[in-house]
Amino acid sequence: MGDFIEKLREQLTRIWESLPIQQKIILIAGPSVLLIAMIVAVYLVSRPQMVTLLSSSDQVQLNEVATFLDNQNIAYKTEGNSILVNAHVKNRVAMQLAGEGIIGFRSGPGYELFDQVRLGMTKRMFDVNYIRAKQNELSKVIVSGARNIESAHVELNIPQEALFKEDEVEPSATVKVVTRGGVSPQEVEGIQRLVAFAVERLRPEKVVVLDGSNRTLSKESDEEPGVAEAKKHFEIEQTIEKKFKANLEGLLEKLVGPKGYDVRVNLKCNWQKKRIKNIHYDATNPATVSAKNYTETTEEQGISGEPGVTSNVQDTGIGAEPGSSKTAIEETIENFIHPWFETMIEEEQGELQELSVTVLVDYTKDADGNPTPRDEDQMTQFEKMLKNAAGLPSLMSAADTSKYSFIIGQQSFDKSYEQALARELFWNNVMTIVKSMIPLILLFALGYFAYIFFQRAFRPAEVEEESLEEEIPIEPVTEAKELTLAQLGLSEFGDIASLPAEEQRRLKMQEHVINYAAEKPEEVAGIIKAWLTN
């Protein structure tokens, strides 16, 4: 075993010494670079992966989290306003922090302030607690409704009601939010509407939204009254126009093909507000306004006795005995009114007032590819189908037809500008792709030239064929012959049978080589030349 190792060491030493300096450098640098790369890879894979545990602009909260991690002997790293921990323990640590109340949104008490009735609470104290509860409840709702909002604080300014209307002050509000990466304008508008509709007489434009650095996120509305409403009406009209246009374009694309038509839709709606006044009476419970009782009594006295002059004279009771009659009339006059109230309702009409549709189609092409106008029957059929697609027959039958118009025409489209634009767009895309590939091409070229350079630098020197031919002349041998021990330089050994077995095999091999060189000298010369070259 020791002899084998010694021989192996000697062979490796001879091979190493026979190598040129370039190959020695490659054999040393290659394994070294591979070993370093493996060490770096193992380090990158085995090192702990740090992920964000908490990102907040609240320095007090960050300090509390850092103190908790120190007490728990948990490794962490701070980067700006963020604390990073190992990914394997993030969820466990987050649950522990939430259980301790260190992370998460912490707001004051809401309507639970009124769960306990306090004796001696004044109206002023009640109003203050009510505003405080409302602020905390709104803060909770804002945070719970968005994942990118860490905390929110709401301040409400609700003035007391004034005796006179000209002395009234509108309520206002301020909302401060601490976010993770910011909020969109739609989210800011949603916060404004949320707070405005939760407070009486508070308009959304009176709610100011700030970020954690006290920068204004909400936009101040400088629009005059009615401008926002006009914009809303314009957007509605644009939406209706797009719907009409989409219906027509979908049908035209099947009739004349893509890019063979042009559609224009223009409409106007009636946005005037209609006031409706309604008076409501309650006939079941009339209310008395006034009442008057009137009583009339009539009394008549009669005459009895013998007829004559004396009987016609009213007597006071001397002579004949008088008779009397009495009549009483009672009447009650009552004035009353039925309870009533009136309502005034303002409704926006939003009715389609005017609609005009213009359709222009491209010429068709004949057998030779030349533009040719379409016949009238085809254009009439197009008009009927397009009117039905836009719903114009029902509109015209339900209203004044003078408010609705539909025009269809045909013309040969000039597509030269469109083709030029398409070519320009194509070449722009090509140039963009080429510019993006230039760095890759340069990198590939640099790698190729580096490969050629190192290939030439470390390539062994070539041996000239002429020198080999001059140094090793080959004489042809025409016949093979049996070599004796004297010819082999081994006459002192006597008979070959007396030699050791290993030496006999070497001599036999040498004899075969000499015989082979005598039979095929050209092939042996090529083998020797290749051996010397390498």
Side-chain angles (χ1 to χ4, degrees):
M1 186 67 182
D3 296 339
F4 174 77
I5 295 176
E6 184 66 23
K7 292 182 180 179
L8 180 62
R9 187 182 65 79
E10 292 178 358
Q11 290 180 0
L12 292 177
T13 302
R14 287 197 302 271
I15 294 173
W16 174 258
E17 291 176 352
S18 63
L19 292 176
I21 186 64
Q22 293 88 350
Q23 294 184 359
K24 290 181 179 180
I25 294 175
I26 294 175
L27 289 176
I28 295 175
S32 301
V33 172
L34 182 60
L35 180 61
I36 294 173
M38 292 178 61
I39 294 174
V40 172
V42 171
Y43 170 74
L44 293 176
V45 172
S46 60
R47 72 172 183 173
Q49 183 181 2
M50 306 299 284
V51 295
T52 302
L53 173 66
L54 176 65
S55 178
S56 174
S57 59
D58 189 355
Q59 194 63 35
V60 176
Q61 189 178 27
L62 292 176
N63 294 335
E64 292 179 358
V65 173
T67 303
F68 177 83
L69 295 177
D70 290 334
N71 296 334
Q72 298 293 327
N73 295 324
I74 299 175
Y76 67 93
K77 183 172 63 173
T78 59
E79 292 183 359
N81 292 333
S82 301
I83 295 179
L84 288 74
V85 298
N86 194 337
H88 299 291
V89 300
K90 175 187 175 182
N91 295 332
R92 177 175 60 83
V93 174
M95 293 181 63
Q96 292 177 354
L97 292 172
E100 296 291 335
I102 299 177
I103 64 174
F105 176 63
R106 295 171 288 182
S107 65
Y111 291 124
E112 56 267 19
L113 284 172
F114 301 99
D115 292 343
Q116 296 179 357
V117 180
R118 297 180 182 178
L119 297 177
M121 179 180 291
T122 63
K123 183 179 182 303
R124 179 63 177 170
M125 295 174 60
F126 178 84
D127 293 341
V128 172
N129 287 338
Y130 175 76
I131 295 175
R132 178 186 171 194
K134 175 91 56 187
Q135 293 175 166
N136 294 334
E137 289 292 335
L138 288 173
S139 300
K140 294 177 183 177
V141 173
I142 292 173
V143 174
S144 63
R147 296 182 178 179
N148 57 339
I149 297 179
E150 292 185 0
S151 62
H153 181 73
V154 180
E155 286 289 339
L156 299 177
N157 178 24
I158 304 177
Q160 296 181 353
E161 295 183 2
L163 183 61
F164 302 99
K165 187 173 182 62
E166 55 269 15
D167 296 334
E168 288 185 354
V169 179
E170 290 188 58
S172 59
T174 303
V175 181
K176 183 177 181 179
V177 293
V178 178
T179 62
R180 308 183 190 95
V183 292
S184 63
Q186 292 78 10
E187 291 174 324
V188 173
E189 184 179 357
I191 294 174
Q192 288 180 293
R193 292 183 176 273
L194 172 65
V195 177
F197 285 106
V199 180
E200 186 179 1
R201 299 186 300 112
L202 179 58
R203 295 186 292 117
E205 53 269 20
K206 288 292 184 179
V207 180
V208 179
V209 182
L210 307 176
D211 63 0
S213 302
N214 295 328
R215 291 175 296 188
T216 304
L217 299 177
S218 57
K219 296 181 180 179
E220 296 183 2
S221 179
D222 298 332
E223 298 178 350
E224 297 182 357
V227 175
E229 189 175 3
K231 286 184 177 180
K232 177 183 176 182
H233 295 164
F234 178 74
E235 292 176 357
I236 295 175
E237 291 178 353
Q238 291 290 318
T239 303
I240 300 175
E241 289 180 359
K242 290 180 181 178
K243 184 177 180 181
F244 273 103
K245 190 174 180 180
N247 291 337
L248 296 175
E249 288 178 345
L251 181 58
L252 283 170
E253 186 172 355
K254 297 179 180 179
L255 294 176
V256 300
K259 299 182 180 180
Y261 58 87
D262 189 13
V263 180
R264 303 297 171 90
V265 178
N266 185 22
L267 63 86
K268 183 178 180 182
C269 297
N270 181 16
W271 299 107
Q272 292 182 355
K273 293 183 179 180
K274 181 180 179 181
R275 293 189 175 185
I276 303 175
K277 183 178 181 180
N278 297 324
I279 301 177
H280 308 272
Y281 291 96
D282 186 3
T284 59
N285 298 312
T288 302
V289 178
S290 63
K292 181 179 180 182
N293 296 326
Y294 176 76
T295 304
E296 182 180 357
T297 303
T298 305
E299 185 176 355
E300 295 181 355
Q301 294 181 356
I303 306 297
S304 63
E306 296 180 358
V309 178
T310 307
S311 63
N312 295 328
V313 178
Q314 185 176 359
D315 195 358
T316 60
I318 303 175
E321 187 175 357
S324 62
S325 64
K326 182 183 293 186
T327 303
I329 300 175
E330 295 182 359
E331 183 179 5
T332 301
I333 300 175
E334 185 176 2
N335 297 323
F336 63 91
I337 186 172
H338 291 279
W340 64 277
F341 64 93
E342 66 178 16
T343 58
M344 184 70 69
I345 301 175
E346 289 187 355
E347 295 181 353
E348 289 184 353
Q349 297 295 311
E351 297 178 354
L352 190 60
Q353 188 174 4
E354 295 180 5
L355 174 63
S356 61
V357 179
T358 304
V359 179
L360 184 64
V361 296
D362 191 11
Y363 280 177
T364 186
K365 292 184 179 180
D366 56 11
D368 298 332
N370 299 320
T372 305
R374 303 176 187 271
D375 54 26
E376 294 298 329
D377 294 338
Q378 188 180 25
M379 295 299 295
T380 302
Q381 189 68 19
F382 283 176
E383 182 176 359
K384 291 181 179 179
M385 288 188 291
L386 293 173
K387 283 184 177 181
N388 288 329
L392 290 179
S394 59
L395 293 175
M396 292 181 177
S397 61
D400 186 6
T401 57
S402 61
K403 297 181 180 180
Y404 306 99
S405 63
F406 184 90
I407 300 175
I408 184 171
Q410 57 178 327
Q411 184 180 352
S412 178
F413 288 0
D414 184 10
K415 300 181 180 179
S416 58
Y417 174 75
E418 182 180 351
Q419 294 174 354
L421 187 63
R423 287 195 298 269
E424 182 180 358
L425 180 62
F426 171 76
W427 285 113
N428 288 337
N429 294 334
V430 171
M431 293 303 298
T432 303
I433 296 174
V434 171
K435 289 180 180 179
S436 62
M437 297 212 34
I438 285 177
L440 297 177
I441 295 175
L442 293 177
L443 183 62
F444 176 78
L446 181 62
Y448 176 75
F449 287 124
Y451 171 76
I452 296 297
F453 173 77
F454 285 106
Q455 186 75 11
R456 293 181 178 180
F458 296 110
R459 185 174 59 184
E462 296 182 356
V463 181
E464 298 292 337
E465 295 184 0
E466 292 82 0
S467 61
L468 290 177
E469 293 178 356
E470 293 177 357
E471 294 176 1
I472 309 176
I474 300 175
E475 297 181 359
V477 180
T478 56
E479 58 180 358
K481 54 185 178 180
E482 189 74 19
L483 298 179
T484 61
L485 292 177
Q487 291 176 338
L488 294 175
L490 301 174
S491 56
E492 67 273 11
F493 290 100
D495 189 7
I496 193 172
S498 62
L499 296 176
E502 183 178 356
E503 191 66 24
Q504 292 181 17
R505 288 196 296 271
R506 187 179 68 79
L507 292 176
K508 288 290 184 182
M509 182 62 67
Q510 184 176 358
E511 183 179 359
H512 286 305
V513 170
I514 294 174
N515 292 333
Y516 182 78
E519 294 177 356
K520 298 180 179 180
E522 293 83 3
E523 293 184 4
V524 174
I527 293 173
I528 296 174
K529 181 169 64 175
W531 176 72
L532 293 176
T533 302
N534 293 331

